[in-house]
Amino acid sequence: MTDDVLTQDQIDDLRTTVAGLMPGVRADLEALTRIPSVSLDAFDQAHVEASAEATAELLRAEGLEVEIVREGGRPAVIGHVDGPEGAPTVLLYAHHDVQPPGDDADWDSAPFEPTERDGRLYGRGAADDKAGIMAHVAALRAHAGRLPVGVTIFVEGEEEIGSDSLPTILERHGDKLRADAIVLADSTNWALGEPALTTTLRGLIRVVVTVTTLDHGIHSGMFGGAVPDAVTTLVRLLATFHDEVGDVAVAGLKSGKASDLDFDEARLREESGLLDGVEVIGTGSLLDRIWAKPTATVIGFDAPSVAKSSNTLVPTASAKVSIRLAPDEHPMEAYAAVQRHVEAHTPWGARVQVHLDDQGAGFAADAHGPVYDQARAAFTDAWGVEPVDIGVGGSIPFVASFAEKFPDAAILVTGVEDPDTRAHGANESLHLEEFEKVCVAEAVLLARLGAMPR
Ligand SMILES: [Zn+2]
């Protein structure tokens, strides 16, 4: 491209620089991974303090002004360094807390002892999201002393437990975080060698539905046949959440369209572990179904257990239902639609209550404009192939928080993961060769954003 903002030599120089930095980046990543910074209450929070401090130290070493902030939750690290006069400011996000390791016996090497096997670095947090922190640090190092843009780094300490104090942090420290572009490095690439920008995320509501038919349990032989029990009533109600083919049948819920990528049933079966003979449900492309359409999943059920059951008409029963939402759905409008559905479909005049247990907005990026153009170019520079736009069927509540707080900033959701990363699972790992490309892409992105005409 003759009108490109960088020359091929500049790009090649950055690639060479990053390659030279990788041994140090890897050593620092391993040191971070050795800190068992599980943010869940039941774990020793001294480790989360230690990972915040270690992150702060890495940023101070790159010349950033750094503070550790707490707003009723876990410590977050904020660092900043000015760019050249008039240059844009880029906010780089990652998180330093990790998921619990689960059972050590499920791991092939100790979860907090980073270990390389077959080109992958295994360890809890080696990818999610300590590699995100180190991708940002690598990009800073690649431009050491002559950053092309202003950089603010925000490294959260409670992403894995739901970012509860993030809204307060954004409210009280938002001025320090203001930026022209935001890079949230906590998602995945499409495949090894195939980079991606995550441009949609689904939202979520979780409801508890409780059905009551009797004021006390009664003998099923005496009254069964004329008096409805709550479990049967609730099961019939839950069955109305889907139609015959398995699409969600709650009127008023939005459905979106996913990007048009190759994803066939064989890959779905392989990646999900769906048993032979069990049908795939729903309609539309498979990616529409897992990224852009609503779902309804019963995730909990309160009724007598099989072992403790007796011949009784059960008076009350509850189910917890997790409902994923189209990326642009408003969670409270979805909740209202679910309430209307439940009221209209509860059989036999049973009493029913719906309680909202949790909610989070999805995200649909406006994936156009100069920042996205430069991001796509930077990914292409790093991988040699153009990135694809992907959706993620899950929800990352902090993305919506940033989108709401900074409506004018371009939001880029990038990632260090690949389909074999197993974030949150046993044997989480980072593909090291791919990680170098992630670091190159971010270094080139900063150079490109700094070189944009202004
Ligand atoms: Zn993460």
Side-chain angles (χ1 to χ4, degrees), residues 1 9 24 48 100 109 137 149 167-168 170 203 236 283 298 339 356 426 439:
M1 265 196 287
D9 281 353
V48 178
S109 50
V137 171
V149 289
T168 313
L170 291 179
R236 289 182 71 96
T283 57
V298 178
Q339 281 179 306
L356 183 63
C439 296

Side-chain angles (χ1 to χ4, degrees), residues 24 35 55 79 82 131 157 179 216-217 228 234 269 297 308 345 347 386 402 410:
I35 305 172
T55 301
D82 283 334
H216 61 281
L234 177 58
R269 286 182 173 279
T297 309
K308 292 187 177 160
H345 290 83
E386 281 184 32
F402 279 93

Side-chain angles (χ1 to χ4, degrees), residues 56 58-67 77-92 136-137 139-154 175-181 446:
L58 287 166
L59 299 179
R60 277 187 211 111
E62 299 313 311
L64 276 72
E65 201 156 308
V66 180
E67 61 177 322
V77 184
I78 298 177
H80 178 78
V81 55
D82 283 334
E85 187 69 34
T89 298
V90 182
L91 174 64
L92 306 174
H136 299 328
V137 171
L140 290 171
R141 288 180 184 169
H143 295 287
R146 48 189 167 78
L147 267 173
V149 289
V151 170
T152 303
I153 295 204
F154 177 67
D175 287 346
K176 294 174 224 167
L177 302 177
R178 197 163 296 286
D180 303 287
L446 297 187

